[in-house]
Amino acid sequence: MNILEIINLTKQYGDFTAVDDISLSVATGEIFGFLGPNGAGKTTTIKMMAGLLKPDGGRVVINGNDLAADPLTCKQETAYIPDRPWLYEKLTGQEYLQFIGSLYGLAEDEFVRESESCLALFDLMTWRNHLIEGYSHGMRQKLIMTSMLMLKTPLVVVDEPMVGLDPKSARIVKELFKNRAAAGSTIFLSTHSLEIAEELCDRIGIISDGRLLTVGDMATLRQAGGSDGSDLEEIFLELTGAWELKEIIRSLRAER
Amino acid sequence: MRGTLLKPFRQGLSNRFLINRRARWRTFGVILFGCVVAVAIYLVSVRVIGYFHSQNELGIILSLKIFEMAWMIIFAMLVFSSMVSGVSALFLSRDNEILFAAPVPPEHLYFMRYVTTSMYTTWMMVVFSLPVFGAYGRVFGAGFAYWPLMCLSVFSMAAMASGFGLGATVLLVNLFPARRIRDIVAYLSLLGGILLYLFIRLMRPEELVDPDRFPDFIGYLSSLSSPAMPLLPAGWVSNLLTAYLQDRQIDWLLTALICLTPLVVFFLGEMIMKRWFFKGFSRAQESFGGERTFAAPPYHRSRLRWFLHKETKLFLRDSAEWSQLFMIGALILVYLYNFKVLPLDRAPMPTAYLANLIGYANIGLAGFLVVSLCARFVFPSISMEKEAFDLLRAAPLSLRRYFFYKYIFYLIPFTLFTLILLLASNHLLKIEGPLQWISLITGLLITWSVVGTALGFGARYADFKMENRAAALGGFGAIIFLFTALSVTLVIIFLGSFPAYRLVRHWLAGEGVSVIDWWLTGGALAVMATMSFAVPVVCIRRGIDRLRT
């Protein structure tokens, strides 16, 4: 069963089309990677999926509910982790988690169990009663992940999950995503990191200039890239038309 | 270099008011509205000053004393607001990391901060004080030289106040023992509030209208006509203009002081910046505040409870916010003190009539205070969610409910504030009878309406990248909100005035309430309530629409 259906999604900023008629489906329990160069439309698409941006055309259906028609039900089932960890500076980590838990109506016992488990995983237990303004960028990112992962929603939408994380935390996040997917949650993540996409994702969608170029597992992508033995980086460069990079790299090397 | 540093400010202003080098319609609208307000201030000022001027010699001296007080208060306010803005502009601005890491000399940075902070903190004073001081020129029939002298005085005082404020800020940040720099803002606010209060108290303006308090009339006259504080810049400009208004004489020494002091203060500020800025800036970054812990209460599922908890903690833990409470405290004290010392028994009309008249006007005054506090606290509250607002929008919380929670949070303190102001001032005025209820109902309607309107405008003009609440006050949205809320307040006061007059008049005459009065009162109340409800609802709906896109 598909938990997420994106149907002909379009978004324009004035004359500029940021997302151009994208359609895709993501199945329950799947880890789906959304890849694309800077400015390709990844964050815009994700913001529309999280109900932060109003699409100019098309629909987002989450667990059978249309996001535009029934936004609250859809949001109840979606955890959104933004790429930049903007939080309330004057709250403590614990208070922030309590606030988010109450927004999603998390039960008391579930809150204690899940929040403490995630805080412990991310080494944040000793910091939970400190003000967020004293947290580093990575700690903020881990707190925001804790706040969303403790909700145990059927769909987790993550924009650039590893930005600012140390290698240990990045490893934990990858394992957590795999566990959640194995338990039936769906992870939709956008990333620049081809390594993460290749390692984590069951399927990958590549977006460029607002258009979805291809969707599929690695084998499908290799076919689409026209090179059976190539890795994701080569496929990515091939599909996004970034072969002029080779020329640039060659000329840079020639300068050494 | 100095010009380059100002480029973002210039281009930001240009982008704000112009599209492709052509003015936006709303820019014309704001200018037109500002002109209308300035003309209204001018006409009211001409009338009030003209009234004093037409009385006798005492009236002329009294109007000049008010002139002097106005300069003093404006100067004190400008220095204080420059200091508060200076901490944010000099030490907490986000662009500091880029600019100070670049090969930019501190004195050039000071120039840029001086120009931008002066513009932000003084433009409103300049625009709206010119009509008041212009009115003096008209009433006193001042000669040609008054107008350039007046403009010079206004601009020079704005420049001097900014210079003093910024220079003092750089020094204070180095000297202050507080680790966390934002606390300095709190202490400055506190200091400013207390200074303002003491200043007004020490002036004892109520005694100026009471010759009996002086042992003899000559003493009274000499007290009134003594020149303003000669060591303060506000005293210089006041004395310069007063001398010209009375005797058409220009004091060239004062003129020179007014011309040269801004330059001296500016260059002193540059020297201070060069010598002490880096130490203060470095200290500001060291104080990350990570050492304190706060125990959270046990988790509970209630959204409203956690929303109110979040809002309360964000307010109380931010010293820049809670310190304003001292200002409000001082404001209430000064406000109520004025009612205590009103010489009602000396008035030519019966005390009870006058007390009721002032009591009714007091609803408007309280309303104006509520409007200004809403502009400071409620209007920026949506923007102050900053980028974390995305998390709220992604949560299963409708915007209507979000506004409801916000409204509840601000409604309680503002209702208490209005009740304290009105009940205490009515008590001091010894008001009994219908006006007691009229003032409470009207005052609360205004307050509830203004709080909602502020939220609506705050959403419509939300800027989630705003650095602090004070920054919102100079924005387009805040100005439109102020004008709208003040207009609503005036209309509500106007609507209730006739029925209130009839009810109070009958009550004072010991007569019962007639059927016509019941109908009039009921009708006015219905219109007032409808307006108080409709304006914020429309504003909040438009705000929600804006946030959805």
Side-chain angles (χ1 to χ4, degrees):
Chain A
M1 184 199 163
N2 290 332
I3 190 160
L4 173 68
E5 300 268 0
I6 294 175
I7 304 156
N8 305 119
L9 202 63
T10 301
K11 180 71 189 175
Q12 289 187 304
Y13 298 116
D15 296 334
F16 174 69
T17 305
V19 174
D20 192 0
D21 199 27
I22 283 183
S23 296
L24 62 89
S25 310
V26 182
T28 304
E30 191 177 7
I31 301 182
F32 186 90
F34 203 41
L35 248 72
N38 293 332
K42 299 189 297 294
T43 298
T44 303
T45 308
I46 280 185
K47 283 197 165 185
M48 285 192 281
M49 287 164 57
L52 299 174
L53 270 177
K54 202 173 176 180
D56 292 321
R59 294 163 61 207
V60 175
V61 179
I62 295 170
N63 221 1
N65 299 300
D66 189 316
L67 180 63
D70 195 358
L72 296 190
T73 307
C74 292
K75 288 175 180 181
Q76 184 70 49
E77 296 182 337
T78 309
Y80 165 63
I81 303 174
D83 57 343
R84 283 178 298 173
W86 297 107
L87 300 161
Y88 297 104
E89 302 272 312
K90 296 288 177 187
L91 293 187
T92 64
Q94 179 72 8
E95 285 170 341
Y96 177 74
L97 295 180
Q98 288 172 328
F99 176 61
I100 294 292
S102 74
L103 281 182
Y104 285 79
L106 203 62
E108 280 84 353
D109 54 341
E110 205 177 346
F111 170 80
V112 174
R113 191 176 62 244
E114 293 300 325
S115 66
E116 290 192 356
S117 145
C118 286
L119 285 171
L121 271 176
F122 286 124
D123 288 337
L124 284 177
M125 280 299 268
T126 50
W127 285 90
R128 66 178 168 170
N129 289 327
H130 288 71
L131 293 186
I132 292 171
E133 68 181 0
Y135 285 22
S136 68
H137 180 88
M139 286 163 75
R140 287 161 190 244
Q141 190 68 23
K142 289 192 279 190
L143 183 67
I144 213 165
M145 287 222 175
T146 301
S147 73
M148 289 295 135
L149 292 175
M150 75 179 183
L151 300 172
K152 291 213 151 179
T153 51
L155 175 64
V156 181
V157 178
V158 200
D159 198 359
E160 299 292 347
M162 306 305 173
V163 174
L165 292 185
D166 57 65
K168 182 188 164 193
S169 303
R171 186 75 254 165
I172 289 169
V173 168
K174 284 179 200 167
E175 293 306 318
L176 266 174
F177 284 171
K178 285 177 187 170
N179 284 356
R180 286 291 159 92
S185 286
T186 302
I187 315 287
F188 185 103
L189 61 91
S190 88
T191 180
H192 285 119
S193 166
L194 303 175
E195 180 198 318
I196 291 168
E198 206 163 0
E199 181 189 342
L200 268 184
C201 301
D202 301 313
R203 284 193 309 143
I204 292 166
I206 295 181
I207 180 174
S208 181
D209 294 329
R211 287 172 173 273
L212 191 63
L213 301 177
T214 184
V215 182
D217 54 17
M218 280 303 292
T220 316
L221 293 186
R222 282 192 187 102
Q223 272 186 344
S227 49
D228 283 350
S230 55
D231 63 10
L232 187 57
E233 183 173 319
E234 284 181 17
I235 300 167
F236 179 83
L237 294 176
E238 178 68 42
L239 288 172
T240 55
W243 278 112
E244 67 271 22
L245 259 182
K246 280 195 169 178
E247 286 302 312
I248 297 168
I249 292 167
R250 204 174 297 134
S251 64
L252 284 172
R253 283 179 181 164
E255 283 177 18
R256 284 181 204 158
Chain B
M1 180 66 86
R2 290 173 202 258
T4 311
L5 285 173
L6 276 179
K7 213 171 176 183
F9 174 71
R10 277 191 282 115
Q11 286 178 333
L13 273 186
S14 161
N15 294 338
R16 198 161 156 191
F17 294 108
L18 308 171
I19 299 176
N20 297 331
R21 294 177 180 269
R22 291 178 64 186
R24 296 176 174 193
W25 281 111
R26 88 172 188 185
T27 307
F28 287 120
V30 174
I31 292 171
L32 187 69
F33 207 86
C35 289
V36 170
V37 172
V39 169
I41 291 173
Y42 174 75
L43 293 175
V44 170
S45 304
V46 166
R47 201 166 171 78
V48 172
I49 300 159
Y51 173 76
F52 279 117
H53 192 264
S54 63
Q55 298 303 309
N56 46 37
E57 187 64 21
L58 193 63
I60 294 172
I61 296 173
L62 199 57
S63 63
L64 289 173
K65 200 71 190 172
I66 295 169
F67 185 69
E68 175 196 318
M69 280 169 62
W71 281 106
M72 294 289 178
I73 290 172
I74 288 172
F75 182 70
M77 282 169 62
L78 283 181
V79 171
F80 172 60
S81 72
S82 296
M83 286 172 82
V84 173
S85 308
V87 178
S88 298
L90 287 165
F91 295 98
L92 302 174
S93 286
R94 285 181 184 169
D95 58 356
N96 261 352
E97 282 196 18
I98 303 167
L99 297 178
F100 203 60
V104 177
E107 56 269 32
H108 288 193
L109 206 57
Y110 180 79
F111 170 78
M112 186 268 278
R113 299 294 186 210
Y114 175 82
V115 172
T116 53
T117 310
S118 303
M119 300 272 273
Y120 281 130
T121 54
T122 63
W123 73 266
M124 204 178 273
M125 184 286 286
V126 169
V127 169
F128 294 117
S129 69
L130 282 174
V132 177
F133 298 131
Y136 270 92
R138 160 94 185 274
V139 171
F140 279 79
F144 173 76
Y146 177 77
W147 307 101
L149 276 180
M150 179 192 78
C151 291
L152 171 74
S153 300
V154 168
F155 286 107
S156 166
M157 197 168 74
M160 284 187 279
S162 297
F164 280 127
L166 288 183
T169 302
V170 180
L171 283 177
L172 272 175
V173 168
N174 277 274
L175 298 174
F176 231 84
R179 277 195 69 206
R180 297 172 62 197
I181 193 162
R182 287 193 80 97
D183 287 349
I184 290 168
V185 182
Y187 300 135
L188 290 180
S189 307
L190 180 60
L191 190 69
I194 293 166
L195 279 178
L196 186 67
Y197 175 68
L198 287 177
F199 180 74
I200 291 172
R201 281 302 303 118
L202 291 174
M203 294 282 287
R204 282 193 279 187
E206 70 277 5
E207 289 189 2
L208 297 174
V209 291
D210 187 3
D212 291 351
R213 285 178 186 259
F214 289 82
D216 55 68
F217 193 67
I218 300 298
Y220 176 64
L221 269 182
S222 68
S223 155
L224 278 180
S225 55
S226 59
M229 286 178 244
L231 294 177
L232 282 181
W236 303 341
V237 289
S238 168
N239 291 339
L240 172 74
L241 294 177
T242 305
Y244 189 79
L245 282 173
Q246 283 184 304
D247 308 322
R248 303 286 179 275
Q249 283 180 353
I250 298 175
D251 186 328
W252 291 106
L253 175 66
L254 289 179
T255 312
L257 275 173
I258 289 167
C259 289
L260 294 176
T261 310
L263 293 172
V264 173
V265 172
F266 172 77
F267 287 117
L268 271 176
E270 274 202 349
M271 281 168 58
I272 291 171
M273 183 84 169
K274 201 171 173 180
R275 172 75 180 79
W276 281 290
F277 173 71
F278 179 59
K279 193 176 157 199
F281 180 54
S282 176
R283 184 182 285 187
Q285 294 171 89
E286 290 159 23
S287 54
F288 71 98
E291 75 282 2
R292 288 183 68 191
T293 58
F294 301 84
Y299 175 72
H300 189 272
R301 206 191 272 218
S302 163
R303 267 185 196 165
L304 177 61
R305 181 178 148 177
W306 282 107
F307 198 91
L308 298 184
H309 180 84
K310 176 200 81 140
E311 294 287 329
T312 312
K313 294 295 173 194
L314 292 182
F315 184 83
L316 293 178
R317 286 181 188 159
D318 192 343
S319 50
E321 300 302 326
W322 60 254
S323 61
Q324 305 289 322
L325 294 176
F326 292 100
M327 287 286 286
I328 296 169
L331 196 68
I332 293 176
L333 282 175
V334 171
Y335 185 90
L336 294 177
Y337 181 81
N338 291 334
F339 286 97
K340 190 173 183 299
V341 297
L342 270 179
L344 291 180
D345 49 334
R346 293 170 190 278
M349 61 196 293
T351 307
Y353 274 102
L354 189 61
N356 275 282
L357 182 66
I358 295 173
Y360 192 75
N362 178 40
I363 310 169
L365 279 178
F368 287 170
L369 277 185
V370 168
V371 170
S372 59
L373 289 178
C374 279
R376 174 68 183 76
F377 293 104
V378 187
F379 174 81
S381 69
I382 310 279
S383 300
M384 287 313 289
E385 301 277 0
K386 298 192 178 173
E387 284 88 345
F389 188 69
D390 271 2
L391 296 167
L392 288 171
R393 291 281 288 118
L397 175 76
S398 68
L399 280 171
R400 290 174 75 166
R401 191 158 287 270
Y402 168 78
F403 273 92
F404 174 68
Y405 291 165
K406 277 265 181 194
Y407 187 69
I408 293 286
F409 178 75
Y410 287 105
L411 189 71
I412 298 163
F414 273 92
T415 301
L416 283 175
F417 176 77
T418 308
L419 286 176
I420 289 170
L421 278 190
L422 291 177
L423 285 174
S425 48
N426 284 351
H427 173 73
L428 291 170
L429 287 166
K430 297 185 179 67
I431 286 174
E432 291 168 349
L435 195 73
Q436 187 75 270
W437 296 106
I438 292 169
S439 72
L440 287 184
I441 293 170
T442 314
L444 288 177
L445 279 178
I446 290 171
T447 302
W448 296 341
S449 175
V450 168
V451 170
T453 308
L455 281 177
F457 273 94
R460 189 158 169 74
Y461 295 96
D463 175 4
F464 295 108
K465 291 187 170 59
M466 186 186 293
E467 292 198 13
N468 56 54
R469 283 186 202 242
L473 285 174
F476 176 79
I479 297 164
I480 299 290
F481 160 69
L482 277 172
F483 287 146
T484 309
L486 289 176
S487 308
V488 168
T489 305
L490 286 174
V491 170
I492 290 177
I493 295 285
F494 176 75
L495 283 171
S497 58
F498 187 58
Y501 165 72
R502 286 182 63 103
L503 282 176
V504 171
R505 198 185 62 177
H506 289 309
W507 185 79
L508 287 174
E511 298 165 1
V513 180
S514 68
V515 179
I516 297 173
D517 288 335
W518 279 120
W519 277 104
L520 261 176
T521 308
L525 196 62
V527 176
M528 285 154 65
T530 309
M531 190 173 166
S532 309
F533 180 75
V535 172
V537 165
V538 170
C539 291
I540 288 177
R541 279 192 178 162
R542 295 188 73 176
I544 288 177
D545 289 345
R546 155 75 170 71
L547 290 178
R548 279 200 178 123
T549 51

